Amino acid sequence: RDALTIWEAREKARRVRSQADDWEDRGLSERCITRNGLPGEMLGSGQQPLKEIVQTPGYVSIVMAYGYVRIIPVAEQDPLGAAIRQWNGDSRGHWEGNTLVVETANFSEKSRHRFPSSRNMRSVERFTRVSDQLIDYEFTIEDPEVYTSAWTAVRPMPALDDYKIYEYACHEGNYAMFNILRGARVQEAAAKAARENN
């Protein structure tokens, strides 16, 4: 499929480039744009497993350890038009019994996911409260431009009562960006000089 071919070509091109050819070569998280995209942002990692879920009239907010907050409308609200694309898509939620169902579309073509995808990917997440201490998190990815059928993954989200999410401010990569790129240019100049002198 075209999207998979584009993904493979992009990954192949990245292997032969420096990690500092251009500011766009640096990761989205280092550039303080977004961390892992969806659903990666929800899956977290050893560094960011924490989520705080807050329900208010008409909205569910999910606060994550690295300063990213998802605000999901659950009241009747029209989705954004197809021309409006966002890094983490446009999410709309509704309740099916005790399960919060969140449908997300309108991802930016610049979005990065942990798997091949096209700009027309659609994510359907299900948050089901199994007990006071456990939510089952399930997501389904639909992307006919890349996959022959939708695929689903499930991950339990246990309560972590003794943990707190502290303020996070993304700035380190932004301050370092100039030096990262400048350092790469210095290395390239040194390598070129070495070749010319041999």
Side-chain angles (χ1 to χ4, degrees):
R1 303 237 172 185
D2 290 345
L4 186 56
T5 301
I6 291 168
W7 169 280
E8 289 172 343
R10 185 179 71 200
E11 293 303 304
K12 183 177 180 182
R14 288 179 68 194
R15 284 194 291 268
V16 297
R17 295 181 66 183
S18 161
Q19 283 297 306
D21 279 351
D22 188 276
W23 61 272
E24 289 184 316
D25 289 331
R26 309 308 299 174
L28 297 178
S29 60
E30 186 177 357
R31 291 159 51 201
C32 300
I33 295 172
T34 185
R35 291 197 65 82
N36 298 314
L38 287 177
E41 200 74 57
M42 291 302 304
L43 296 174
S45 67
Q47 293 181 314
Q48 59 169 33
L50 303 177
K51 313 282 182 285
E52 181 178 9
I53 300 174
V54 180
Q55 184 177 349
T56 61
Y59 296 90
V60 171
S61 297
I62 303 173
V63 182
M64 301 183 208
Y66 281 115
Y68 171 53
V69 179
R70 289 181 72 186
I71 301 174
I72 303 163
V74 292
E76 188 80 22
Q77 193 175 106
D78 291 335
L80 296 176
I84 301 173
R85 301 286 171 157
Q86 300 184 99
W87 288 107
N88 288 309
D90 176 37
S91 296
R92 295 291 184 263
H94 66 273
W95 291 96
E96 293 180 3
N98 68 338
T99 298
L100 172 64
V101 179
V102 179
E103 299 181 35
T104 306
N106 292 25
F107 290 93
S108 167
E109 58 277 352
K110 296 179 181 179
S111 298
R112 298 287 192 267
H113 303 283
R114 293 181 175 180
F115 47 83
S117 63
S118 76
R119 71 191 302 260
N120 295 317
M121 181 184 90
R122 182 173 171 267
S123 166
V124 179
E125 301 164 283
R126 295 180 182 275
F127 300 81
T128 304
R129 189 159 193 171
V130 177
S131 71
D132 288 347
Q133 299 296 312
L134 183 65
I135 293 175
D136 269 349
Y137 173 65
E138 172 186 307
F139 67 90
T140 299
I141 299 299
E142 301 171 4
D143 195 340
E145 293 182 39
V146 181
Y147 303 104
T148 56
S149 63
W151 56 273
T152 300
V154 179
R155 181 173 185 173
M157 298 175 82
L160 301 171
D161 295 329
D162 296 335
Y163 286 82
K164 294 180 181 177
I165 296 177
Y166 293 96
E167 179 185 7
Y168 175 78
C170 184
H171 62 81
E172 184 175 349
N174 282 345
Y175 286 132
M177 192 65 65
F178 173 80
N179 290 327
I180 289 169
L181 298 176
R182 183 171 170 235
R185 302 298 79 80
V186 169
Q187 288 176 335
E188 289 169 359
K192 181 179 178 184
R195 285 192 304 274
E196 291 172 353
N197 290 333
N198 286 336

